[in-house]
Amino acid sequence: MSDNTATSISDQLDAINDYEREPVPASKVKGFKDFLALVASEHIAGTEFVIGPLFVLHGATASDVILGLLVGNILATLSWTLICAPLAVKTRLTLFYQLERISGYKLVSIFNGISGIQACVFAAFMAVVSAGAISLVLGLETPSFSQMLPSGITWVVLVTVLVALITVIAIQGIDLVSKFATISTPWMPWVFLASGIATLPQLGVHSFSDFWTVANTTIWTGTPVEGMSKYNFWHIMFFAWLCNTAMHIGLADTFIYRYAKKSYYGIASFGGMFIGHFMAWIASGILCAAALQAGISDPTPGQVAGIGAGIAGIICVVIAGWTTANPTLYRAGLAIQGIFPSTKRWKITAWLGVAAALMASFPGIVSKLDNLLAWFALIAAPVGAIVVLEVYVFKKLNLETDYSHHRNGKMNWAVAATWIISVTLCYLIYLGLELDFFFFMAIPGWFIAAIVYLFLCKLRQMKQPKNIIKDSL
Amino acid sequence: MANYPIKIILKTLSYLGLLFTAVPAFLSFHGLITFKQYEIFMIIGAFMWFLSAPFWVTKKDKI
């Protein structure tokens, strides 16, 4: 490694760690345009080629999809606008530091670990998506994404090489990766839009007035493919709203919005939601229907994009997967490194790369994307509820804030209990009501966590005097 | 950083690349070009964008 590279990595890490343990100063806040560009690019990723087809395969109807995405994306935008961004502007702290002050280092480490594993799983998802597209171009055998076991040694070698490349870049060149993502982001939405429009005649749409009829009879037919559960309006709406739970009501995006000049900048997420999670999901759903009509019963993202835009579509899948996987694995390394501060970041990222390669060898994990997102949503929601209470409610109720910070980092058992109780209760409710979609539990999980945490803190304060150490921030 | 006239040319090429990516889909939809021609325009558009944009699209601010 050259000195220049070493300096560059050091600079990048310094930039990422900026104001990690202190409020962002007023001189460093950014204007609205910066947020619009940033959050729009954040939500146009390789996953869009997986999620749009999921709604088709799960037998949603056209009105379920259009209305569900409309309402769900508005609710997601409101979650950023009314909860995440205002809290970030009020405290100007990262979620991790805020949580460390409240719960203590040990609990934050557990949360870091879960966040790291989540990011690692996502990197594996993206490697699978890119590998599927590459094997299509190379004429290699592409396993079906509902097939859990690897199809053969070729697939394992391909994903291993791909993850190895991703890992090397995640270790060394995050700046290059960021630049590549910035360059490809303006191009990708046009590919989604173009492929959706150009594919419509293959489905029988020859004028825009035909669209709704064909949408109901050929694209979103209301009949799930064999082995898939049925999705309705509520599944789509909750999915659109809560697939980014960790970011909005889970408050992970405080990392970004603490730089916002005004609290209403959360509205910038509207761009990301309605380009990435509305237009792109609808377009990739149209492409999936065309693939099904062409006799591909279980289309991969590469096949879906290839049908819509040929080689350009496949390039788009590879780039989308690549640009998402690199920073994702980098973030996983950062999160896990927080638990093992004495271990070199590159070693942790390398081990995560090995784990991602192992996961990516099993292509069926892609078909479980919605379930995995739902689990992470449920785990992240209580954290958001706890921080919202601490920032907005506790002082009004004369309850002590930042418990751990005032006790030299002592673990806050109320946070641990709240987390365990809310996730367990939600799971029991999910089983008791025989629900078929775990996303339904993220909002109840948020409110259960808020009630339990308030109760436990009130109980603790009745037994212990309130610590009078003044907040240093 | 490219100087000003070159930057203008590069930007023009990039925006033309995006036009080549977006517009042929509508032409194909209305039957004015074939699907194969649309696919070729998409590839040309991709190359125009990726060969010109890296020289002027840069990250403005690190957040």
Side-chain angles (χ1 to χ4, degrees), chain A residues 335-411:
Chain A
I336 302 288
Q337 209 248 350
I339 308 169
F340 307 105
S342 58
T343 311
K344 295 282 183 193
R345 196 164 305 181
W346 72 266
K347 284 184 185 171
I348 290 168
T349 310
W351 278 110
L352 288 172
V354 173
L358 278 174
M359 280 187 277
S361 296
F362 299 90
I365 59 162
V366 167
S367 65
K368 307 290 177 198
L369 177 64
D370 49 350
N371 289 326
L372 285 163
L373 282 171
W375 270 103
F376 290 130
L378 189 60
I379 288 166
V383 173
I386 287 164
V387 176
V388 166
L389 279 184
E390 288 259 348
V391 172
Y392 289 115
V393 181
F394 271 29
K395 278 181 185 162
K396 286 178 187 165
L397 297 179
N398 201 28
L399 287 170
E400 184 186 3
T401 58
D402 295 339
Y403 177 89
S404 179
H405 178 69
H406 294 151
R407 286 169 177 77
N408 294 322
K410 184 183 172 188
M411 190 175 96

Side-chain angles (χ1 to χ4, degrees), chain A residues 135-156:
Chain A
S135 58
L136 203 64
V137 175
L138 297 179
L140 303 172
E141 189 189 353
T142 312
S144 144
F145 284 178
S146 60
Q147 178 186 325
M148 190 47 84
L149 293 174
S151 57
I153 192 71
T154 321
W155 175 262
V156 176

Side-chain angles (χ1 to χ4, degrees), chain A residues 34 183 187 194-195 198 202 307-308, chain B residues 21-22 25 29 35 38 49-50 54 61:
Chain A
D34 296 317
I183 290 162
W187 172 76
S195 19
Q202 294 174 30
I307 281 176
Chain B
T21 306
F29 178 79
F35 194 81
Y38 148 77
W49 174 261
F50 282 103
D61 287 287

Side-chain angles (χ1 to χ4, degrees), chain A residues 381-458:
Chain A
V383 173
I386 287 164
V387 176
V388 166
L389 279 184
E390 288 259 348
V391 172
Y392 289 115
V393 181
F394 271 29
K395 278 181 185 162
K396 286 178 187 165
L397 297 179
N398 201 28
L399 287 170
E400 184 186 3
T401 58
D402 295 339
Y403 177 89
S404 179
H405 178 69
H406 294 151
R407 286 169 177 77
N408 294 322
K410 184 183 172 188
M411 190 175 96
N412 185 345
W413 60 265
V415 173
T418 301
W419 210 3
I420 293 166
I421 290 169
S422 62
V423 173
T424 310
L425 262 180
C426 283
Y427 189 64
L428 292 175
I429 294 169
Y430 171 78
L431 291 179
L433 296 178
E434 295 180 349
L435 298 173
D436 63 345
F437 202 48
F438 215 50
F439 271 111
F440 291 147
M441 297 316 304
I443 295 297
W446 197 94
F447 283 104
I448 289 170
I451 293 164
V452 170
Y453 188 60
L454 195 61
F455 173 75
L456 291 178
C457 289
K458 191 86 184 163

Side-chain angles (χ1 to χ4, degrees), chain A residues 201-398:
Chain A
Q202 294 174 30
L203 296 167
V205 180
H206 299 288
S207 69
F208 287 108
S209 58
D210 298 337
F211 177 75
W212 193 244
T213 312
V214 173
N216 281 292
T217 55
T218 314
I219 305 170
W220 299 285
T221 59
T223 310
V225 300
E226 201 182 329
M228 293 281 193
S229 57
K230 170 94 173 78
Y231 276 11
N232 59 29
F233 165 82
W234 297 107
H235 293 84
I236 311 283
M237 189 273 272
F238 274 104
F239 187 91
W241 181 12
L242 300 173
C243 66
N244 290 127
T245 295
M247 289 176 168
H248 49 62
I249 60 170
L251 302 177
D253 267 359
T254 49
F255 186 81
I256 295 170
Y257 284 110
R258 69 204 165 112
Y259 286 94
K261 195 178 283 177
K262 303 283 182 188
S263 62
Y264 66 81
Y265 282 8
I267 198 78
S269 59
F270 183 88
M273 289 297 96
F274 280 86
I275 296 172
H277 292 186
F278 188 82
M279 184 273 282
W281 286 0
I282 286 174
S284 58
I286 292 169
L287 300 181
C288 177
L292 291 174
Q293 201 178 53
I296 306 166
S297 59
D298 189 13
T300 64
Q303 287 169 321
V304 162
I307 281 176
I311 297 291
I314 292 172
I315 293 171
C316 184
V317 172
V318 176
I319 288 176
W322 188 264
T323 53
T324 312
N326 284 308
T328 303
L329 196 62
Y330 181 78
R331 277 202 298 271
L334 282 176
I336 302 288
Q337 209 248 350
I339 308 169
F340 307 105
S342 58
T343 311
K344 295 282 183 193
R345 196 164 305 181
W346 72 266
K347 284 184 185 171
I348 290 168
T349 310
W351 278 110
L352 288 172
V354 173
L358 278 174
M359 280 187 277
S361 296
F362 299 90
I365 59 162
V366 167
S367 65
K368 307 290 177 198
L369 177 64
D370 49 350
N371 289 326
L372 285 163
L373 282 171
W375 270 103
F376 290 130
L378 189 60
I379 288 166
V383 173
I386 287 164
V387 176
V388 166
L389 279 184
E390 288 259 348
V391 172
Y392 289 115
V393 181
F394 271 29
K395 278 181 185 162
K396 286 178 187 165
L397 297 179
N398 201 28

Side-chain angles (χ1 to χ4, degrees), chain A residues 12-13 31 35 44 50 65 72 75-76 79 88 125 163 175 182 193 226 251 263 269 315-316 327 330 348 372 444 452:
Chain A
Q12 289 151 15
L13 295 178
F35 288 88
I44 303 164
V50 180
V65 172
L75 288 170
S79 301
F125 276 142
V163 174
D175 215 19
T182 310
L193 180 69
E226 201 182 329
L251 302 177
S263 62
S269 59
I315 293 171
C316 184
Y330 181 78
I348 290 168
L372 285 163
V452 170

